[in-house]
Amino acid sequence: MRFDEMELQAPILRAVEEMGFEEMTPIQAGAIPIVMEGRDIIGQAQTGTGKTAAFGIPLLQLIDPKDHALQALVLCPTRELAIQVAEEIRKLAKFMHSVKVLPIYGGQDISKQIRSLKGGVQIVIGTPGRVMDHMRRHTLKTDTVRMITLDEADEMLNMGFREDIETILEELPEERQTLLFSATMPKPILDITKQYQKDAEFVKVIKKELTVPKIEQYYYEVRPKNKLEVLCRLLDMYDPKLSLVFCNTKRQVDELVSALQLRGYFAEGLHGDLKQVQRDRVMETFRNGKTDILVATDVAARGIDVDDIEAVFNYDVPQDEEYYVHRIGRTGRAGRTGRAFSLVIGKELYKLRDIMRYCKAKIQLQPIPSLNDVTAIKAEKILDRISNVIAEENLTDMIRLLEDRINNEEFTSLEVAAAFLKLEMGGGDEISEQDKGMEFGDTGAEAGMVRLFINLGKKQKVRPGDILGAIAGETGMPGKLIGSIDMYDKYTFVEVPREYAAEVINVMKNAKIKGKSINVEPANANRG
């Protein structure tokens, strides 16, 4: 069904057209006519299905712009979602100049919210805790509310808001319209619908419409200690413009963001412990592209609505099958092709099989990319860019410059091109897979490790932590992989995994520890 086939007010229809909407999504087509008739509704739908417009459009249709009292209340589980819903409804109300929409949530100065409420607001979108706070202060009066919407109701219950929701519903007028939207329908949700709704109509987006067919889905079997390395290789190989990485815990978000930043990635984290100012800053840098990688928990990611996310990474396999659908639905939007990658450890493979059965989708096993694979993909992308430049740009002056240089030097044009490619791919520090696995003699290290000699010791006031920090910081190798560090007066021995040894030696050539240049070389087994 098209929006212009509905009997919508002209300002709403104009806003819908300006936003580029024509056809209704399934949840919109099912919900809007019912809500416009004044009936209660239970909508089963997830983020990304257009459910905000499903309740936002009829909400605006039924609002009286001349009445400045509070007429509609929307409850959301998180601040991010409250802000997003408010922005969406404001866009829909763009040409309804007398309608005021206000998001209220914790973390924002409550005095500003009180001032706005006193000025007259018809629509409030808020988190249950802050709405309750205003109700206790009598700064939010609910006796004129005609419609309440519970958005992401299952998440509100998961976050412990059931009592708050029931208290708010008890305070509302009997003669009101109650809308409830939830991705899942557990028993507590059904209990609320029975108690607080009247003859509610059930509208459900069937499961096959919850997945996005244009998403390529892959998984990799990894060991816990290799997860970060595999994630980084995938990021380097596919080089997504924007990517979203999901973790199951707030602690894991913080640890992963630190590790990615240490390796030079533009990554930021999003979880429930962040202050509102921090959340706003993180989302702003992600939206404007200053942050390439957003690492988030499932709850914190509610309300993220960015169309350009090219890849979703499940750093942790989600505990709930529906969370997987929520996560990967963040990519492949607006007709684009997206990619979803899952890193699976041991028994998590059984959980992934449950997810595949639930989604009725094939998640393909892929081999972990080698460093050579990553290098080849990088080179291919650079060469594609070069092809575009050759096709579209006038290179006459550049060719003349190169000809003059090549004629006066002892190298070929192919060598020049190869040197430019190497510089573009990261200068002279690239280490091949073969170099990484180069043979070291007996260095006196444990099996699988290489013992390295460093020409700094206790007399230079260097501590083991300085050595560990320098190696981890310069190479990006996780500090926990570094073995024993034996310090003497004028030198130090440190053990590193054999596969990292050549990289450590190469990268540390230009490094300094406490301002002092260092020399790193394989240790002699008989030395020290």
Side-chain angles (χ1 to χ4, degrees), residues 177-193:
Q177 205 172 346
T178 305
L179 319 180
L180 184 147
F181 289 84
S182 182
T184 59
M185 288 292 160
K187 186 177 182 298
I189 295 282
L190 298 175
D191 290 343
I192 287 176
T193 64

Side-chain angles (χ1 to χ4, degrees), residues 450-463:
V450 171
R451 196 169 187 232
L452 301 178
F453 169 85
I454 300 175
N455 65 332
L456 291 180
K458 294 177 185 176
K459 284 197 172 180
Q460 285 83 22
K461 296 183 179 179
V462 174
R463 298 170 301 173

Side-chain angles (χ1 to χ4, degrees), residues 254-269:
D254 289 336
E255 289 178 356
L256 182 55
V257 168
S258 296
L260 289 171
Q261 289 175 346
L262 190 67
R263 288 180 171 225
Y265 295 96
F266 295 98
E268 292 284 357

Side-chain angles (χ1 to χ4, degrees), residues 454 466-477 482 494 496 504 508:
I454 300 175
D466 300 323
I467 301 286
L468 188 148
I471 294 174
E474 292 291 335
T475 65
M477 177 174 60
I482 297 172
V494 58
V496 299
V504 171
M508 297 299 284

